[in-house]
Amino acid sequence: MTNKYMYFIANWKMFGTLKTLNSLKKVISFSDNFKKNKLSIIYCPPTTLIRPLFKKLKKSSIEVGAQNCHESKSYASLTGQINSGMLKDIGAKYVILGHSENRQTGEDNILINKKIKSSLKSGLKVILCIGETLKEKKNNKTNKVLNSQIKDCLSGIKNYSNVIIAYEPVWAIGTGKIPKLDNLKNNILYIKKKFKKKSIKVLYGGSVNGKNINDLKKISLIDGFLIGGESRDPNKFIDIIKKTYN
Ligand code: PGA
């Protein structure tokens, strides 16, 4: 059982239409009544749904975030791109950056660092995803990878108060697999130690579901969860939140 403040972040990826938003009524009334002031629920839908969701959630404590943004803080002739200021303008409070699905299509730590700086300047809170691939894990490179992702992505940033880390082993995302609890605990501890005395929130992400949450919640160092697939079903999402506190 936990009694600490926890984050529950729903990453909808490229799923969802206006109609889908109706299914959130359940989560809204749940959040109105469940452990207020003990948790943050943040929905990160596709960009197309940020504004309508923001309006829907106006009276609720649930917040809205984006899934990525362009690194430029200024407006520019960049067809198809959206910057952090534009996300803030339509109601986003958070932005997920460095997700492995975007790293796999070419985003590196240097680019992610630029995106983080731009987002913080725009007043967004950043959820920075880090994590090793299966190959890196097998080659015992996990710490090395986490270290360089933290160092390079956060280079030049001194104030971490608006940064949350989401530790998401790449091999655990969407696979149904989660790390062994001992390994996970060590990796979370390793990340937290990197920040020394500056306390930072570290979430876990990767195949979180209504079963494994009973084990994951035992790791008291974890400050919350970044949830993909299971967050698209309001019942499953609520179930995970409830079980975290049971
Ligand atoms: P998953 O996704 O829960 O579907 O594994 C997590 C994520 O990619 O953030």
Side-chain angles (χ1 to χ4, degrees):
M1 189 182 111
T2 184
N3 206 23
K4 70 189 265 193
Y5 195 96
M6 299 284 271
Y7 289 80
F8 297 88
I9 303 181
N11 176 11
W12 273 10
K13 311 193 180 188
M14 199 171 74
F15 291 94
T17 60
L18 284 172
K19 211 172 156 192
T20 320
L21 297 185
N22 295 330
S23 72
L24 292 184
K25 273 190 203 130
K26 250 190 174 163
V27 187
I28 294 170
S29 59
F30 166 75
S31 85
D32 284 346
N33 298 303
F34 186 80
K35 302 240 180 235
K36 278 199 148 183
N37 309 321
K38 268 282 165 207
L39 73 165
S40 277
I41 299 176
I42 300 148
Y43 269 90
C44 299
T47 314
T48 50
L49 297 179
I50 290 177
R51 187 65 186 170
L53 183 53
F54 173 78
K55 286 186 176 166
K56 231 184 186 29
L57 296 175
K58 251 188 173 159
K59 289 191 191 120
S60 139
S61 59
I62 302 175
E63 294 175 303
V64 187
Q67 296 175 14
N68 204 353
C69 68
H70 191 270
E71 65 274 20
S72 173
K73 173 88 174 59
S74 28
Y75 297 99
S77 300
L78 291 167
T79 304
Q81 300 295 339
I82 294 169
N83 74 17
S84 50
M86 292 162 160
L87 295 174
K88 175 91 176 154
D89 184 50
I90 57 169
K93 285 230 171 71
Y94 292 79
V95 60
I96 297 173
L97 293 172
H99 194 283
S100 73
E101 284 152 13
N102 296 323
R103 290 180 187 265
Q104 278 156 19
T105 57
E107 286 194 12
D108 60 13
N109 292 338
I110 294 170
L111 179 65
I112 295 162
N113 175 248
K114 289 181 184 157
K115 293 184 180 211
I116 294 175
K117 284 178 173 160
S118 148
S119 299
L120 291 174
K121 271 193 197 137
S122 294
L124 293 175
K125 295 183 183 181
V126 168
I127 300 150
L128 167 63
C129 299
I130 59 173
E132 80 286 0
T133 62
L134 190 57
K135 192 171 167 208
E136 289 161 345
K137 177 181 157 63
K138 282 186 175 158
N139 292 333
N140 291 321
K141 294 261 164 61
T142 300
N143 285 358
K144 195 167 176 263
V145 169
L146 296 179
N147 181 50
S148 63
Q149 287 177 336
I150 292 168
K151 207 165 113 267
D152 297 344
C153 291
L154 295 176
S155 163
I157 295 159
K158 288 190 182 70
N159 182 350
Y160 302 124
S161 57
N162 286 327
V163 178
I164 293 172
I165 304 287
Y167 171 54
E168 298 205 300
V170 179
W171 53 269
I173 296 174
T175 58
K177 293 179 188 149
I178 62 164
K180 291 201 175 94
L181 293 192
D182 272 0
N183 286 343
L184 179 54
K185 195 175 153 192
N186 287 340
N187 293 346
I188 301 270
L189 188 61
Y190 178 81
I191 296 166
K192 289 206 163 181
K193 278 190 173 161
K194 288 275 142 207
F195 292 89
K196 298 188 180 111
K197 292 204 175 82
K198 291 180 183 137
S199 72
I200 189 138
K201 302 285 179 200
V202 181
L203 319 184
Y204 168 75
S207 295
V208 176
N209 64 35
K211 277 193 184 145
N212 59 31
I213 191 66
N214 293 317
D215 287 327
L216 290 169
K217 74 177 182 188
K218 289 180 195 154
I219 303 176
S220 58
L221 283 170
I222 294 178
D223 298 298
F225 301 98
L226 178 50
I227 305 162
E230 302 278 301
S231 74
R232 299 202 301 273
D233 178 330
N235 293 322
K236 289 182 178 171
F237 192 52
I238 291 171
D239 184 47
I240 290 171
I241 298 173
K242 277 188 181 163
K243 282 181 177 161
T244 303
Y245 291 90
N246 267 342

